[in-house]
Amino acid sequence: MGDVSVTDDDVVDADPAAVRREIVSAVLTMAVAISVIGFVFGVGVVSAGGSVVQACLMSMLVFTGASQFSAVSVVASGGTTGAALGGAMLLAARNTVYGLALSRILGPRFIGGSLPSRLVAAQITIDETTAMATAQHRVEDKRYAFWATGLALYVSWNTGGLIGALVGGAINPETYGLDVAFPAAYVAMVLPHLRHRRGLIAGVIGAVICLVLTPFTPVGVPILCAAAAILIGLPRPAAADEMPTEGMPL
Amino acid sequence: MTWTLIVWLAVGAYAFKVLGLVVIGSRPLPAPLERCLDLVPAALLCALVITNTFATGKDLVIDARLAGVVVVVVVVWRRVSFVVVVVLGAATAAILRQVT
């Protein structure tokens, strides 16, 4: 996704094939990281007393990693089903906001407008697909990035989970710095959104809200509350401060 | 690990996704709200960076992750490709953990 580093002037000249190659290599990079994290999740389910079938079905049906980890860690530490569900649902709630943003970014007919395909798209509406789609400049690249990321991550997350649940064993993602792969990817993908003044302000406020709330609220709440930063979009922008359309002409 | 948990979480998580992408979807909302939705990626991705960098459960921790992310911020500004960004970030944290 070298296009995160493309300036506004370069966009016109950006080679569509090169953009697609960058998307594919970014997707593959994320897929590798996700499969290892999925592996860790599979191990986690089994060591929390779950079965292989439970690990696989949970990954396939829930498919939003943070919620899954949250639920399993509560169960592993002896928490009730209600407690596990509460925290996981709080984390899952942000996917609603992503869906709202994505349906605007990808356009009303982004998957032929058919209900079944939109229902499929809903299942892959998560952090990574939103980030990848919104980081692209052209609307067709956004759609391509959304589907490519969703498909690759669905396969790698579930494959990793299956292997983890089957073979178990110890692998520590931190040894390879894989836990940093996610903030790294988000930094690269958020950059185009910070080029505009309002985007920058929203980003800073979101980060501060999250930082301040982390020690005082249940896991999941800080990220949800960070969404309040979008309220700075309410006032009509001054003429000199046009709203971003991802900062790029589409 | 109960089936109740798995089933309810699956239903709930999917309901949240469908609510945003399909139920409300792209039907027009009032202009101020649309302007707000434009800012969702900026606000939430920055929050995710903070969580992934500093949070360990409810604790804020400064560790090798921060070094990795700092390297990432620098190289992102230097306009290298995505793969290089992620690999450099991960490698920084991994090496730092080895030597400390």
Side-chain angles (χ1 to χ4, degrees), chain A residues 4-88:
Chain A
V4 294
S5 58
V6 171
T7 67
D8 296 28
D9 300 332
D10 296 336
V11 171
V12 184
D13 302 325
D15 173 15
V19 171
R20 291 292 163 95
R21 279 198 301 276
E22 276 294 337
I23 293 173
V24 169
S25 72
V27 165
L28 293 179
T29 310
M30 294 175 79
V32 171
I34 289 280
S35 64
V36 178
I37 306 295
F39 179 94
V40 174
F41 175 77
V43 173
V45 170
V46 173
S47 52
S51 66
V52 174
V53 176
Q54 284 181 322
C56 291
L57 277 179
M58 193 169 176
S59 275
M60 287 192 286
L61 297 176
V62 179
F63 193 59
T64 181
S67 294
Q68 295 176 227
F69 270 112
S70 156
V72 171
S73 68
V74 172
V75 169
S77 59
T80 63
T81 295
L85 197 55

Side-chain angles (χ1 to χ4, degrees), chain A residues 124-146:
Chain A
I124 57 168
T125 298
I126 54 172
D127 295 326
E128 292 87 350
T129 48
T130 306
M132 277 289 288
T134 58
Q136 312 307 320
H137 304 306
R138 299 183 312 150
V139 71
E140 56 265 44
D141 291 334
K142 292 173 196 283
R143 292 172 188 171
Y144 182 84
F146 174 78

Side-chain angles (χ1 to χ4, degrees), chain A residues 1-2 8-9 13 54 86 95 107 132 139 147 152 171 177 182 190 193:
Chain A
M1 202 177 45
D8 296 28
D9 300 332
D13 302 325
Q54 284 181 322
N95 292 330
M132 277 289 288
V139 71
W147 285 107
I171 177 173
F182 296 95
V190 79
H193 299 284

